Amino acid sequence: MRLLVTGGAGFIGSNFILYWLKKYPKDFILNLDKLTYAGNLENLRSVEGSPNYEFVKGDICDGKLVLSLLKEYKIDTIVHFAAESHVDRSILEPAPFVKTNVEGTVILLESALKAKVKRFHHISTDEVFGELSLDSEDKFSENTCYSPRSPYSASKAASDHFVRAFYTTYGLPITISNCSNNFGPYQFPEKLIPLAITNILEGKKVPIYGDGLYVRDWLYVKDHCRAIDLILHKGKVGETYLVGGLTEDIPNIEVVRKILRIMGKGEEWENWVEFVKDRPGHDRRYAIDWSKINRELGWKPKYSFDTALKLTVDWYVKNEVWWRRVKSGEYREYYERQYGE
Ligand code: NAD
Ligand code: DAU
């Protein structure tokens, strides 16, 4: 395959590129990334200079650039990760979410159609379905109605609708995956798990929104990469697949307590958390029914939450230079040193 990966310098995109090039060394990947605050080329140092990998700094909203890259590199498959991805940022400033997540996706779709790519895979989120209540055992499935509640999820919902519209209207060969909360190596420390680990390593308290009883469905990023792999190889064009983890309704406060236990601070956990003002419109609970991708493609998560959390804590402990540079903003100098302006 010759893949265009958008947003490949971000958390999931860089994990996906490393996964794919290791498993399929004969394939070629072009990584198109704007390098916003969330894009970090240091994640991809190990593949830099490989003959089957290239990076282009650019914006998915630049249709001329996207089309010329698709043609020049003879791309047959697009895996679209690029997005503004943080809910709290979308609450502070929604417009960039509309620009990249909605307009950028439409521009990519138009370019994909013109270049006649064989597959456009869109990475989306379970947040498009809204929230579940704490006292139900309901889960999101491929049949759940869309009900986004934050500017971020509204923009992702709009992008999903456009992707499906390009399939029904123009016959573009698309697939979509809506996954739950990823965690693992290279995650920007603005999201709960890496924020908690790095704060504790810095001797700072972990901010817990509201009552701390919000529930997420945690998915180790490597399991997510395996799911995308299967969808690209065996998924049915036009279909959507939900991807989730093995967690059983663990509230945020318990996630942080687990991290503190792994870090040897379980006994004194109350000293390490700080209950802060809640996120407006905070979705109470997410849970994913991933039986369709299990039944049709044979996927299931390999990593239990506890195992993956331990691996993640270990990674941040070992990669202190990486997260300290990210937290201080120094990582951005790397691009200038490496590539110039
Ligand atoms: P991230 O914020 O870590 O990375 C996003 C990447 O996209 C960055 O490298 C950034 O520079 C790039 N980017 C942003 N705007 C761009 C533009 N206009 N043109 C080109 N590149 C641009 O995000 P992530 O957590 O890796 O998420 C990747 C995708 O997965 C997103 O589409 C997100 O909505 C989706 N998703 C994420 C999660 C999660 O838990 N992280 C869960 C479900 C779905
Ligand atoms: O569900 C998938 C989504 O997961 C993705 O689509 C998003 O891109 C990704 O950012 C993530 O969204 P969340 O809002 O669920 O993730 P976040 O890590 O920001 O928050 C997880 C939970 O922890 C949520 O209930 C809010 C809470 N939280 C978060 C932060 C940053 C806190 O209590 N304190 C914090 O400081």
Side-chain angles (χ1 to χ4, degrees):
M1 282 188 203
R2 296 185 63 81
L3 298 98
L4 173 72
V5 170
T6 69
F11 161 49
I12 310 176
S14 58
N15 274 284
F16 176 78
I17 290 174
L18 297 174
Y19 164 95
W20 198 273
L21 290 178
K22 191 167 174 207
K23 185 156 177 204
Y24 303 108
K26 289 194 179 137
D27 286 357
F28 171 81
I29 293 186
L30 178 66
N31 173 12
L32 173 64
D33 197 297
K34 187 179 168 184
L35 296 184
T36 65
Y37 78 94
N40 185 349
L41 286 177
E42 290 191 38
N43 306 359
L44 294 160
R45 255 191 192 159
S46 62
V47 294
E48 229 169 54
S50 307
N52 56 349
Y53 168 77
E54 264 188 59
F55 168 72
V56 170
K57 184 180 181 208
D59 192 329
I60 57 166
C61 297
D62 181 349
K64 229 169 122 187
L65 170 71
V66 172
L67 186 58
S68 72
L69 292 174
L70 291 175
K71 288 186 173 160
E72 184 188 339
Y73 288 90
K74 299 187 172 52
I75 298 296
D76 50 48
T77 304
I78 297 177
V79 189
H80 175 33
F81 294 94
E84 289 295 338
S85 72
H86 193 40
V87 174
D88 293 325
R89 287 181 191 257
S90 82
I91 294 168
L92 292 173
E93 201 189 351
F97 288 70
V98 179
K99 181 82 187 163
T100 286
N101 300 2
V102 187
E103 198 181 322
T105 300
V106 174
I107 287 165
L108 264 184
L109 287 162
E110 285 174 336
S111 309
L113 199 61
K114 285 184 195 148
K116 299 188 173 60
V117 300
K118 291 194 189 125
R119 179 70 72 83
F120 184 104
H121 182 68
H122 179 55
I123 306 291
S124 193
T125 169
D126 59 359
E127 301 207 7
V128 298
F129 303 119
E131 66 172 353
L132 300 166
S133 76
L134 277 186
D135 52 17
S136 83
E137 290 186 0
D138 294 347
K139 293 187 173 188
F140 299 133
S141 79
E142 288 76 6
N143 300 320
T144 306
C145 291
Y146 276 48
S147 181
R149 290 160 32 90
S150 73
Y152 163 71
S153 52
S155 70
K156 292 297 288 188
S159 70
D160 291 11
H161 293 321
F162 272 105
V163 174
R164 276 193 203 100
F166 267 68
Y167 170 65
T168 49
T169 308
Y170 308 110
L172 185 72
I174 63 102
T175 39
I176 299 178
S177 50
N178 294 83
C179 69
S180 58
N181 286 61
N182 284 225
F183 67 105
Y186 301 116
Q187 187 167 28
F188 196 89
E190 65 184 352
K191 309 279 163 74
L192 180 67
I193 289 182
L195 179 83
I197 301 169
T198 57
N199 269 19
I200 297 161
L201 288 170
E202 287 179 306
K204 292 186 197 153
K205 291 188 183 215
V206 180
I208 305 283
Y209 295 165
D211 57 14
L213 299 179
Y214 294 86
V215 168
R216 296 295 181 261
D217 178 320
W218 296 102
L219 170 67
Y220 192 47
V221 66
K222 294 189 189 190
D223 276 332
H224 183 195
C225 293
R226 289 175 39 248
I228 302 167
D229 181 352
L230 276 173
I231 297 169
L232 290 179
H233 283 106
K234 299 210 268 172
K236 196 167 154 218
V237 165
E239 293 288 309
T240 292
Y241 300 90
L242 262 57
V243 183
L246 290 172
T247 52
E248 300 289 337
D249 279 13
I250 302 176
N252 292 338
I253 187 71
E254 182 54 23
V255 171
V256 173
R257 283 179 63 178
K258 278 176 182 285
I259 292 171
L260 282 160
R261 279 200 289 274
I262 294 170
M263 297 175 80
K265 296 179 172 18
E267 300 293 303
E268 11 155 353
W269 72 270
E270 273 160 309
N271 301 334
W272 286 93
V273 299
E274 184 178 26
F275 287 89
V276 299
K277 194 166 154 273
D278 209 350
R279 172 186 281 174
H282 198 166
D283 288 339
R284 197 34 114 170
R285 173 177 163 259
Y286 303 144
I288 295 255
D289 169 0
W290 41 263
S291 56
K292 175 179 173 182
I293 187 169
N294 177 251
R295 203 173 47 247
E296 296 185 8
L297 309 184
W299 178 89
K300 62 176 179 193
K302 270 190 186 164
Y303 294 85
S304 73
F305 183 56
D306 288 352
T307 304
L309 196 60
K310 170 94 178 55
L311 289 171
T312 305
V313 170
D314 289 349
W315 189 87
Y316 280 88
V317 169
K318 283 195 194 109
N319 290 276
E320 186 165 340
V321 174
W322 182 90
W323 62 260
R324 281 203 186 274
R325 284 165 59 74
V326 170
K327 276 197 154 176
S328 69
E330 257 182 79
Y331 73 104
R332 309 188 89 175
E333 289 164 17
Y334 172 75
Y335 177 81
E336 272 141 49
R337 271 206 321 277
Q338 185 72 11
Y339 296 95
E341 254 318 302

